[in-house]
Amino acid sequence: MSILDVITPHVCREYTVKCPACDTENVFPRLKPDIYSARETEPDGHPHNVRWRAEVEFPQWLTPLNYFWAICKNCYFTGQIDDTEFRTWKKTERKFRSQFREGALSTISDSATQQHGVARQLGTSIPSDDIFGTMLVQFYLGVFSECLKKRPVPGSLARFYLRIAWIYRDEEKLYSEFSQTSVIRDLCEEITTEWYKSLPTDDSLPVRPQLAIDEISAQRTALAYFEWNYSQLQSNALEDTLRLTTLIAEIGYRIYELSGAEEDFTKGMSFFSGVMSKSMGIINDKSIVGGAVNRAKEVLEKAGERGRELRVLQKKW
């Protein structure tokens, strides 16, 4: 019995979900409400520490990302376990299935039956005791399943790649006992050609989803999708817009922190300038009052501060 097998009943509830691709019945763990809290988060949302609210000993490497996905044990179709639409897809079967490209679900099911396909390669090539590799594989399976849709959700792909970046960032801190012997990078390079062949062609995507093998490549992909998400944003909520533009700026900051490239500095500065301009627009709009204005003032001050920090970082490079 693995450590996860011991801990999971203390922090999760079980949900039985039939796979929408192959109809296999699966039992998935889902975290209980308020079972953890994230502490000391970095500017791009990455938590430094997670506090679990359960009377059991937790390994350092266990985070909520271990329970992010629901992966079919037969065909490796993957959904977000927190996604109500996925968990209850049988109730709205026609609507749910209509999201996917014609034949996409049957193809992934047939590939499992014939024991081939990129999803199967990802799902079977990493041993379960390689926590580092397993988590990355789960996210790539999630990306692959999202791309089977007629219109992949930009915000979802952006969040997936941002979390892939976090996993790589934590490689030494949380996963060093696994990553030193993990074959995940070799696997990604080995199946890259098959990955791109298997992904549906979609000219609406700003970049093709990739099998990132380090934090900076995952961050660049996340940034492309968050910018795409912003361009598609239909919400009129001012705080949603500010939150997204701030996150985009912070990802730009992190990319420059990793690369030191002048073009990344210029792009990062433009992001923070955009956040400040957006904030000033809200502050100066007399039709907007109350909390939104106060929030914009806070964002304006923080964006100015982070822009100055970026200039200091440039001098260090």
Side-chain angles (χ1 to χ4, degrees):
M1 181 178 288
S2 70
I3 295 176
L4 273 176
D5 291 332
V6 173
I7 292 174
T8 296
H10 293 273
V11 298
C12 293
R13 294 172 179 163
E14 290 186 342
Y15 288 78
T16 300
V17 182
K18 276 197 171 185
C19 176
C22 69
D23 220 31
T24 298
E25 193 168 272
N26 295 273
V27 178
F28 299 122
R30 183 190 179 203
L31 289 172
K32 299 175 183 177
D34 302 320
I35 196 65
Y36 75 92
S37 59
R39 296 187 166 192
E40 301 173 38
T41 56
E42 292 183 89
D44 67 353
H46 173 248
H48 274 300
N49 294 296
V50 173
R51 180 182 178 184
W52 294 96
R53 299 187 179 98
E55 296 300 321
V56 63
E57 187 174 345
F58 292 90
Q60 185 182 23
W61 49 260
L62 189 72
T63 75
L65 296 186
N66 291 90
Y67 298 104
F68 195 93
W69 294 109
I71 301 171
C72 177
K73 60 190 176 186
N74 177 53
C75 73
Y76 302 100
F77 177 87
T78 301
Q80 297 175 72
I81 191 58
D82 280 343
D83 181 0
T84 303
E85 185 181 32
F86 166 73
R87 291 198 313 275
T88 62
W89 70 270
K90 272 289 188 182
K91 295 180 180 178
T92 56
E93 183 169 355
R94 180 177 295 182
K95 179 183 177 183
F96 183 85
R97 289 186 181 279
S98 69
Q99 300 177 83
F100 293 88
R101 294 170 182 269
E102 186 175 353
L105 295 179
S106 59
T107 296
I108 196 171
S109 176
D110 292 344
S111 295
T113 302
Q114 298 164 19
Q115 298 192 351
H116 68 79
V118 72
R120 180 175 174 78
Q121 285 179 281
L122 282 166
T124 60
S125 299
I126 301 294
S128 59
D129 58 357
D130 175 5
I131 302 299
F132 176 68
T134 296
M135 290 179 67
L136 289 167
V137 158
Q138 290 175 351
F139 272 87
Y140 290 131
L141 286 169
V143 168
F144 184 78
S145 295
E146 180 67 28
C147 290
L148 298 180
K149 294 178 178 178
K150 297 172 184 174
R151 294 182 179 84
V153 179
S156 294
L157 289 172
R159 289 187 302 108
F160 301 163
Y161 275 100
L162 180 58
R163 281 150 183 77
I164 290 168
W166 293 351
I167 294 170
Y168 279 118
R169 191 183 309 174
D170 283 332
E171 181 173 355
E172 291 187 12
K173 177 185 174 184
L174 299 184
Y175 310 117
S176 59
E177 65 180 291
F178 312 108
S179 65
Q180 290 176 4
T181 57
S182 179
V183 297
I184 181 61
R185 288 184 171 89
D186 293 335
L187 174 65
C188 288
E189 292 179 1
E190 178 186 331
I191 68 171
T192 290
T193 300
E194 182 67 23
W195 168 267
Y196 285 125
K197 284 182 180 178
S198 302
L199 283 176
T201 302
D202 191 335
D203 294 335
S204 71
L205 300 179
V207 294
R208 294 202 77 187
Q210 63 164 316
L211 296 169
I213 59 171
D214 52 30
E215 181 186 350
I216 192 166
S217 56
Q219 289 280 21
R220 290 192 190 281
T221 307
L223 179 60
Y225 286 124
F226 274 119
E227 289 186 278
W228 181 40
N229 186 27
Y230 181 73
S231 71
Q232 303 290 314
L233 197 65
Q234 295 180 347
S235 171
N236 292 320
L238 296 175
E239 293 210 13
D240 288 346
T241 303
L242 277 181
R243 190 178 299 112
L244 182 54
T245 53
T246 300
L247 178 57
I248 288 171
E250 291 296 352
I251 293 173
Y253 186 109
R254 178 60 180 170
I255 288 173
Y256 178 65
E257 197 171 34
L258 292 169
S259 76
E262 191 61 29
E263 59 267 29
D264 289 328
F265 170 78
T266 302
K267 198 168 185 180
M269 288 302 300
S270 71
F271 287 146
F272 284 113
S273 296
V275 174
M276 295 174 71
S277 176
K278 180 75 67 176
S279 300
M280 286 298 297
I282 294 171
I283 294 168
N284 294 330
D285 189 335
K286 301 306 180 185
S287 67
I288 303 173
V289 295
V293 174
N294 293 333
R295 172 61 180 156
K297 289 178 179 178
E298 293 173 5
V299 170
L300 175 64
E301 182 178 355
K302 184 63 177 177
E305 180 184 323
R306 291 293 283 168
R308 289 189 292 273
E309 290 174 5
L310 192 60
R311 291 191 189 93
V312 171
L313 182 62
Q314 183 192 32
K315 294 177 181 178
K316 293 181 180 178
W317 274 107

